[in-house]
Amino acid sequence: MTYRVCFVCTGNICRSPMAESVFRARMAEAGLDGLVEVDSAGTGGWHEGDGADPRTVTVLVNNGYDGEHTARRFRSSWFSRLDLVIALDAGHLKALRRLAPTAEDAEKVRLLRSYDPAAGDDLDVPDPYYGGMDGFEECLEMVEAASEGLLAAIREDLEGRAA
């Protein structure tokens, strides 16, 4: 059975597509790309159908990741097919938990940086949209740092399913 993860930010053009691309690469490196499906969405639909922000694409491609992306809006009906919904900041976390049709679905929502032990209490990935390239590079660093812990958590879930 495929394990499904969806990364969610506001418009699905900066943070969540970056997390999707990085984590998809991590799954492939770990040999789990056939077992784990990774995608992303936004809490709002302002950018549906658009590509990722050009700065996101630049940072991803310059660091060896795929920059292809089409924005879409998260739908509450998706909870039933997802195993994990990864919010990029506390606002997304609250919005997604309110959108969840059941308490069980709300429990699927987690903050990305909660998987980074070095993050401490600061679990938001700041929105780089209104800033310069340095914000996008910082976003990538945070996503990469949390990816190892998220990979370990998903691997543990997969092993638990196989037992």
Coordinates of all heavy atoms in Angstrom, one line a residue, residues 74-123:
F74 N -5.6 22.7 -1.5 CA -5.9 21.5 -0.7 C -7.4 21.4 -0.5 O -8.1 22.4 -0.3 CB -5.2 21.6 0.6 CG -5.3 20.4 1.4 CD1 -4.3 19.4 1.3 CD2 -6.3 20.1 2.3 CE1 -4.4 18.2 2.0 CE2 -6.4 19.0 3.0 CZ -5.5 18.0 2.9
R75 N -7.9 20.2 -0.6 CA -9.4 19.9 -0.5 C -9.5 19.0 0.7 O -8.8 18.0 0.9 CB -9.9 19.2 -1.7 CG -9.6 19.9 -3.0 CD -10.6 21.0 -3.2 NE -10.3 21.6 -4.6 CZ -10.3 22.9 -4.8 NH1 -10.5 23.8 -3.8 NH2 -10.0 23.4 -6.0
S76 N -10.6 19.2 1.5 CA -10.8 18.4 2.7 C -11.1 16.9 2.3 O -10.7 16.0 3.1 CB -12.0 18.9 3.5 OG -13.2 18.9 2.8
S77 N -11.6 16.7 1.2 CA -11.8 15.3 0.7 C -10.5 14.5 0.6 O -10.6 13.3 0.6 CB -12.6 15.3 -0.6 OG -11.9 15.9 -1.6
W78 N -9.4 15.2 0.5 CA -8.1 14.5 0.3 C -7.7 13.7 1.6 O -6.9 12.8 1.5 CB -7.0 15.4 -0.1 CG -7.2 16.1 -1.4 CD1 -8.2 15.9 -2.3 CD2 -6.4 17.1 -2.0 NE1 -8.1 16.7 -3.4 CE2 -6.9 17.4 -3.3 CE3 -5.2 17.7 -1.6 CZ2 -6.4 18.4 -4.1 CZ3 -4.6 18.6 -2.4 CH2 -5.2 19.0 -3.7
F79 N -8.2 14.2 2.7 CA -7.7 13.6 4.0 C -7.9 12.1 4.0 O -7.1 11.4 4.5 CB -8.5 14.2 5.2 CG -7.9 15.4 5.7 CD1 -8.5 16.7 5.5 CD2 -6.8 15.4 6.5 CE1 -7.9 17.8 6.0 CE2 -6.2 16.6 7.0 CZ -6.8 17.8 6.8
S80 N -9.0 11.6 3.4 CA -9.2 10.1 3.5 C -8.2 9.3 2.7 O -8.0 8.2 3.1 CB -10.6 9.8 2.9 OG -10.7 10.2 1.5
R81 N -7.5 9.9 1.8 CA -6.4 9.2 1.0 C -5.0 9.5 1.5 O -4.1 8.9 1.0 CB -6.6 9.4 -0.4 CG -6.3 10.8 -0.9 CD -6.3 10.9 -2.4 NE -6.1 12.2 -2.9 CZ -4.9 12.8 -3.0 NH1 -3.8 12.1 -2.7 NH2 -4.8 14.0 -3.5
L82 N -4.9 10.5 2.4 CA -3.5 10.9 2.9 C -3.2 10.2 4.2 O -4.1 10.1 5.1 CB -3.5 12.4 3.0 CG -3.5 13.2 1.7 CD1 -3.7 14.7 1.9 CD2 -2.3 12.9 0.8
D83 N -1.9 9.9 4.3 CA -1.4 9.4 5.6 C -0.9 10.5 6.5 O -0.9 10.4 7.7 CB -0.3 8.4 5.4 CG -0.9 7.2 4.6 OD1 -1.6 6.4 5.3 OD2 -0.6 7.0 3.4
L84 N -0.3 11.5 5.8 CA 0.3 12.6 6.6 C 0.1 13.9 5.8 O 0.3 13.9 4.5 CB 1.8 12.3 6.7 CG 2.6 13.0 7.7 CD1 2.0 12.9 9.1 CD2 4.0 12.4 7.7
V85 N -0.2 15.0 6.5 CA -0.4 16.3 5.9 C 0.6 17.2 6.6 O 0.5 17.4 7.8 CB -1.8 16.8 6.0 CG1 -1.9 18.2 5.4 CG2 -2.8 15.9 5.4
I86 N 1.6 17.7 5.9 CA 2.7 18.5 6.5 C 2.5 20.0 6.2 O 2.6 20.5 5.1 CB 4.0 18.1 5.9 CG1 4.3 16.6 6.1 CG2 5.2 18.9 6.5 CD1 4.4 16.1 7.6
A87 N 2.2 20.7 7.3 CA 2.0 22.2 7.3 C 3.4 22.8 7.4 O 4.2 22.4 8.1 CB 1.1 22.6 8.4
L88 N 3.5 24.0 6.7 CA 4.8 24.7 6.7 C 4.8 25.8 7.8 O 5.9 26.2 8.1 CB 5.1 25.3 5.3 CG 5.7 24.3 4.3 CD1 7.2 24.0 4.7 CD2 5.0 23.1 4.1
D89 N 3.7 26.2 8.3 CA 3.7 27.1 9.5 C 2.4 26.9 10.3 O 1.5 26.1 9.9 CB 3.9 28.5 9.1 CG 2.8 29.2 8.4 OD1 1.6 28.8 8.6 OD2 3.0 30.2 7.7
A90 N 2.4 27.5 11.5 CA 1.3 27.3 12.5 C 0.0 27.7 11.9 O -1.1 27.1 12.2 CB 1.6 28.1 13.8
G91 N -0.1 28.8 11.0 CA -1.3 29.2 10.4 C -1.9 28.1 9.5 O -3.1 27.8 9.5
H92 N -1.0 27.4 8.8 CA -1.4 26.3 7.9 C -1.9 25.1 8.8 O -2.9 24.5 8.4 CB -0.3 25.8 7.0 CG 0.3 26.9 6.2 ND1 1.7 27.1 6.2 CD2 -0.2 27.9 5.4 CE1 2.0 28.1 5.4 NE2 0.8 28.6 5.0
L93 N -1.2 24.9 9.8 CA -1.6 23.8 10.8 C -3.0 24.0 11.3 O -3.9 23.1 11.2 CB -0.6 23.7 11.9 CG -0.9 22.7 13.0 CD1 -0.3 21.3 12.5 CD2 -0.2 23.1 14.3
K94 N -3.3 25.2 11.7 CA -4.7 25.5 12.3 C -5.7 25.4 11.2 O -6.8 24.8 11.4 CB -4.7 26.9 12.9 CG -3.9 27.0 14.2 CD -3.9 28.5 14.7 CE -2.9 28.6 15.8 NZ -2.6 30.0 16.2
A95 N -5.4 26.0 10.0 CA -6.4 25.9 8.9 C -6.7 24.5 8.4 O -7.8 24.1 8.2 CB -5.8 26.7 7.7
L96 N -5.6 23.7 8.4 CA -5.8 22.3 7.9 C -6.6 21.5 9.0 O -7.4 20.7 8.6 CB -4.5 21.7 7.6 CG -3.8 22.2 6.4 CD1 -2.3 21.9 6.4 CD2 -4.5 21.6 5.1
R97 N -6.3 21.7 10.3 CA -7.0 21.0 11.3 C -8.5 21.4 11.3 O -9.3 20.5 11.6 CB -6.3 21.1 12.6 CG -5.0 20.3 12.7 CD -4.4 20.3 14.1 NE -3.3 19.4 14.1 CZ -2.4 19.3 15.0 NH1 -2.4 20.2 16.0 NH2 -1.4 18.5 14.9
R98 N -8.8 22.6 11.1 CA -10.2 23.1 11.0 C -10.9 22.4 9.8 O -12.1 22.1 9.8 CB -10.3 24.6 10.9 CG -10.1 25.3 12.2 CD -10.6 26.8 12.1 NE -9.9 27.5 11.0 CZ -8.8 28.2 11.1 NH1 -8.2 28.3 12.2 NH2 -8.3 28.8 10.0
L99 N -10.1 22.2 8.7 CA -10.7 21.7 7.5 C -10.9 20.2 7.6 O -11.7 19.6 6.8 CB -9.7 22.0 6.3 CG -10.1 21.8 4.9 CD1 -11.3 22.6 4.5 CD2 -8.9 22.1 4.0
A100 N -10.2 19.5 8.5 CA -10.3 18.1 8.6 C -11.7 17.6 9.0 O -12.3 18.1 9.9 CB -9.3 17.6 9.7
P101 N -12.2 16.6 8.2 CA -13.6 16.2 8.5 C -13.7 15.4 9.8 O -14.8 15.4 10.4 CB -13.9 15.3 7.3 CG -12.8 15.3 6.4 CD -11.7 16.1 7.0
T102 N -12.7 14.8 10.3 CA -12.7 14.0 11.5 C -11.5 14.3 12.4 O -10.5 14.9 12.0 CB -12.7 12.5 11.2 OG1 -11.4 12.1 10.7 CG2 -13.8 12.1 10.2
A103 N -11.6 14.0 13.7 CA -10.5 14.1 14.6 C -9.3 13.3 14.2 O -8.2 13.7 14.3 CB -11.0 13.7 16.0
E104 N -9.6 12.1 13.6 CA -8.5 11.3 13.1 C -7.8 12.0 12.0 O -6.5 11.9 11.9 CB -9.1 9.9 12.6 CG -8.1 9.0 12.2 CD -8.7 7.6 11.7 OE1 -9.1 7.6 10.5 OE2 -8.7 6.7 12.5
D105 N -8.5 12.6 11.1 CA -7.9 13.4 10.0 C -7.1 14.5 10.5 O -6.0 14.8 10.0 CB -8.9 13.9 9.0 CG -9.6 12.7 8.2 OD1 -8.8 11.7 7.9 OD2 -10.7 12.9 7.8
A106 N -7.6 15.2 11.5 CA -6.8 16.3 12.1 C -5.5 15.9 12.7 O -4.5 16.6 12.7 CB -7.7 17.0 13.2
E107 N -5.5 14.7 13.2 CA -4.2 14.1 13.8 C -3.2 13.8 12.7 O -2.0 13.7 13.0 CB -4.5 12.8 14.6 CG -5.2 13.1 15.9 CD -4.3 14.0 16.8 OE1 -3.1 13.7 17.0 OE2 -4.9 14.9 17.4
K108 N -3.5 13.8 11.5 CA -2.6 13.6 10.4 C -1.8 14.8 10.1 O -0.8 14.7 9.4 CB -3.3 13.2 9.1 CG -4.1 11.9 9.2 CD -4.8 11.6 7.9 CE -5.6 10.3 7.9 NZ -6.4 10.1 6.6
V109 N -2.2 16.0 10.6 CA -1.5 17.2 10.2 C -0.4 17.5 11.2 O -0.6 17.4 12.4 CB -2.5 18.4 10.3 CG1 -1.8 19.7 9.9 CG2 -3.7 18.1 9.4
R110 N 0.8 17.7 10.7 CA 2.0 18.0 11.5 C 2.8 19.2 10.9 O 2.7 19.4 9.7 CB 2.9 16.8 11.4 CG 2.3 15.5 12.0 CD 2.5 15.5 13.5 NE 2.2 14.2 14.1 CZ 1.0 13.8 14.3 NH1 -0.1 14.5 14.1 NH2 0.8 12.6 14.9
L111 N 3.5 19.8 11.7 CA 4.4 20.9 11.2 C 5.7 20.3 10.7 O 6.3 19.4 11.4 CB 4.7 21.9 12.3 CG 3.7 22.9 12.6 CD1 4.0 23.6 13.9 CD2 3.6 23.9 11.5
L112 N 6.2 20.7 9.6 CA 7.4 20.2 9.0 C 8.6 20.3 9.9 O 9.3 19.3 10.1 CB 7.7 20.9 7.7 CG 9.1 20.5 7.0 CD1 9.1 19.0 6.6 CD2 9.4 21.4 5.8
R113 N 8.8 21.4 10.5 CA 10.0 21.6 11.4 C 9.9 20.8 12.7 O 10.9 20.7 13.4 CB 10.3 23.1 11.6 CG 10.7 23.7 10.3 CD 11.3 25.1 10.5 NE 12.6 24.9 11.0 CZ 13.2 25.8 11.8 NH1 12.6 27.0 12.1 NH2 14.4 25.6 12.3
S114 N 8.8 20.2 13.0 CA 8.7 19.4 14.2 C 9.6 18.1 14.0 O 9.9 17.4 15.0 CB 7.3 19.0 14.5 OG 6.7 18.1 13.5
Y115 N 10.0 17.9 12.8 CA 10.8 16.7 12.5 C 12.3 17.1 12.5 O 13.2 16.3 12.2 CB 10.5 16.1 11.1 CG 9.1 15.5 11.1 CD1 8.0 16.2 10.6 CD2 8.9 14.2 11.6 CE1 6.7 15.7 10.6 CE2 7.7 13.6 11.6 CZ 6.6 14.4 11.1 OH 5.3 13.8 11.1
D116 N 12.6 18.4 12.8 CA 14.0 18.8 12.9 C 14.3 19.1 14.4 O 13.9 20.1 14.9 CB 14.2 20.1 12.1 CG 15.6 20.7 12.1 OD1 16.5 20.1 12.8 OD2 15.8 21.7 11.5
P117 N 15.1 18.2 15.0 CA 15.4 18.4 16.4 C 16.1 19.8 16.7 O 16.0 20.3 17.8 CB 16.3 17.2 16.8 CG 16.2 16.3 15.7 CD 15.7 17.0 14.5
A118 N 16.8 20.3 15.8 CA 17.6 21.6 16.0 C 16.6 22.8 15.9 O 17.1 23.9 16.2 CB 18.7 21.7 14.9
A119 N 15.4 22.6 15.5 CA 14.5 23.7 15.3 C 14.0 24.3 16.6 O 13.6 25.5 16.6 CB 13.2 23.3 14.5
G120 N 14.1 23.6 17.7 CA 13.7 24.1 19.0 C 12.2 24.4 19.0 O 11.4 23.6 18.5
D121 N 11.8 25.6 19.5 CA 10.4 26.0 19.6 C 10.0 26.8 18.3 O 8.8 27.0 18.2 CB 10.2 26.9 20.8 CG 10.4 26.1 22.1 OD1 10.2 24.9 22.1 OD2 10.7 26.8 23.1
D122 N 10.9 27.1 17.5 CA 10.5 27.9 16.3 C 10.3 26.9 15.1 O 11.1 26.6 14.4 CB 11.7 28.8 15.9 CG 11.4 29.7 14.7 OD1 10.2 29.8 14.3 OD2 12.3 30.4 14.2
L123 N 9.0 26.5 15.0 CA 8.6 25.5 14.0 C 8.1 26.0 12.7 O 7.7 25.2 11.9 CB 7.6 24.5 14.7 CG 8.2 23.8 15.9 CD1 7.1 22.8 16.5 CD2 9.5 23.1 15.6

